[in-house]
Amino acid sequence: MSLDELFGNDPGWVVAVKALLIFVFLVLYTLFNIWFERRVVARMQHRIGPNVNGPFGLLQSLADGVKLGLKEEIFPKAADKIVYYVAPIIAVVPAFLAWAVIPFGPVVNFFGHETPLQLTDLPVAVLYILAVTSIGVYGLVLAGWSSGSIYALLGGLRSSAQVISYEVAMGLSLIAVFIYAGSMSTSEIVAAQEDVWFFIPLLPSFIIYVIAMVGETNRAPFDLPEAEGELVGGFHTEYSSFKFAMFFLAEYINMVTVSALATTMFLGGWRAPFGIAQVWEGANEGYWPVLWFFGKTLAFIFLFVWLRGTLPRMRYDQFMHFGWKWLIPVALGWIVALAFIRKAQLEGMLDQTAMIVAAGIAGIFLIVTFLLPTKDDEDEIEPDEPLEFDAFAGGYPVPPLPSQREAAAATTTTTTSQPTDGGER
């Protein structure tokens, strides 16, 4: 039976059970990831981490969820009531919908019915994931706009600019996979990686995707929309209790979503790691592939946590400069080069080994290029004497602090009292 015939023939109860299992898994995986992040960061910082609620502190995330649900609900006086309540729903629902086309494993016996471990599939499944996940940013933008707060509004604007910038780079990195696999179906992409995982011949695309997925999920060092240093909490500053928990849930589910997409596109999906399938024939049969799939996604989650515990937050101008002037041009150049390489490979002018070597050289060149220091376009000229502070310089509506206002008034008084007739009074 072909892959096209596997989908669309399941009974209604099988589809309902699959959808329920995906929902339960994502909620439980979110609770585990919160605990996992705290334990890993605690180990990096030589702390213990959660260890009281439950064995090894595993119930700490559940306790935090109950606490958030029981907190007092607040409603800002200047907020738009309808949009304020709808925004968290818009943020969290697309995070669940993206998992409809993610393959967890091969065809299995599911309560006496032969079905693939995937809810459904589409000829353009990857485009469906990109489209659905991009809708989630509307929840952040609307949350910032409807809260009636400048901090929240700025966080929402940053979210929209960030998603537009890094989703372009993410989409360009996936085009290489489409060229190499000849399909945009997630199940067919996994099937095309039976011999070699795509992260090897498509190493530059894999590196670009990993960088873009961190920016897409607003995670450190790219967590500019919720930077507490200048925006307090960003788009969710005015949210509390269960509505804030929904934004929290959406962030962690999006982390798992982009990790699952990376696993599907570059790491062979649910296929067993190298070496296991060669010594164990049943490694890619039954329900064992589910274990390989979730192990790979957990490795990406560890990468998210590792970056958060080690790298400082970037400046916003550096962040946008990196996305538009580095990631996108490099991705476009790699796509053009890959199109010629793939054409030569299909016509027998380039073998698999040469392709892997070329991809490795390109990936190393890409990493070295990112690490090279860059010179600023314009050198800042420091004034000889300290200039008087002007809170409204540049047109920014930032009123001066009381101490600054008093200092400005004193300076004005001293200036007006100076003689204007050559020193004679």
Side-chain angles (χ1 to χ4, degrees), residues 39-264:
R39 294 287 291 192
V40 173
V41 173
R43 181 60 63 90
M44 290 180 176
Q45 300 174 349
H46 299 285
R47 296 186 290 107
I48 297 176
N51 64 341
V52 176
N53 296 319
F56 306 103
L58 285 170
L59 298 180
Q60 181 63 51
S61 300
L62 181 61
D64 291 340
V66 174
K67 177 193 71 174
L68 284 174
L70 298 178
K71 275 183 172 290
E72 179 184 3
E73 287 274 1
I74 64 172
F75 181 77
K77 188 176 182 180
D80 185 293
K81 187 172 183 179
I82 297 177
V83 180
Y84 180 81
Y85 280 106
V86 172
I89 301 174
I90 298 177
V92 74
V93 170
F96 286 98
L97 294 179
W99 281 79
V101 295
I102 296 292
F104 293 85
V107 179
V108 298
N109 189 324
F110 190 75
F111 297 105
H113 183 79
E114 293 293 327
T115 181
L117 286 177
Q118 184 176 352
L119 186 59
T120 187
D121 197 9
L122 301 169
V124 290
V126 180
L127 296 185
Y128 163 80
I129 295 176
L130 294 177
V132 169
T133 53
S134 64
I135 294 176
V137 72
Y138 285 98
L140 310 186
V141 175
L142 293 177
W145 174 82
S146 64
S147 296
S149 169
I150 296 297
Y151 295 113
L153 178 60
L154 290 176
L157 292 177
R158 283 188 179 184
S159 295
S160 59
Q162 182 165 330
V163 170
I164 292 172
S165 303
Y166 279 75
E167 194 162 351
V168 172
M170 178 182 289
L172 292 175
S173 67
L174 297 180
I175 291 177
V177 179
F178 304 155
I179 295 174
Y180 209 76
S183 174
M184 288 186 284
S185 167
T186 51
S187 59
E188 293 183 2
I189 290 174
V190 173
Q193 300 180 69
E194 183 177 1
D195 297 327
V196 58
W197 293 356
F198 284 166
F199 87 94
I200 298 177
L202 303 179
L203 184 60
S205 296
F206 178 66
I207 296 174
I208 294 172
Y209 178 87
V210 170
I211 297 173
M213 77 178 187
V214 179
E216 180 80 4
T217 52
N218 299 337
R219 293 284 300 183
F222 301 152
D223 55 339
L224 281 309
E226 45 186 290
E228 70 277 358
E230 62 267 25
L231 297 182
V232 183
F235 58 88
H236 54 63
T237 298
E238 305 298 335
Y239 281 88
S240 67
S241 189
F242 187 71
K243 295 189 295 295
F244 174 80
M246 293 181 69
F247 284 116
F248 204 62
L249 178 66
E251 176 181 336
Y252 276 85
I253 292 179
N254 284 328
M255 286 172 52
V256 182
T257 301
V258 295
S259 300
L261 185 59
T263 299
T264 302

Side-chain angles (χ1 to χ4, degrees), residues 333-356:
W334 168 243
I335 290 173
V336 175
L338 181 65
F340 286 100
I341 293 173
R342 186 58 174 165
K343 179 66 174 177
Q345 187 180 23
L346 293 176
E347 294 184 357
M349 295 183 294
L350 186 66
D351 58 0
Q352 186 72 26
T353 303
M355 175 66 181
I356 295 175

Side-chain angles (χ1 to χ4, degrees), residues 273-295:
F274 293 119
I276 297 180
Q278 284 70 24
V279 299
W280 178 22
E281 295 181 357
N284 290 324
E285 299 176 1
Y287 288 91
W288 284 108
V290 179
L291 179 62
W292 316 134
F293 179 81
F294 293 142

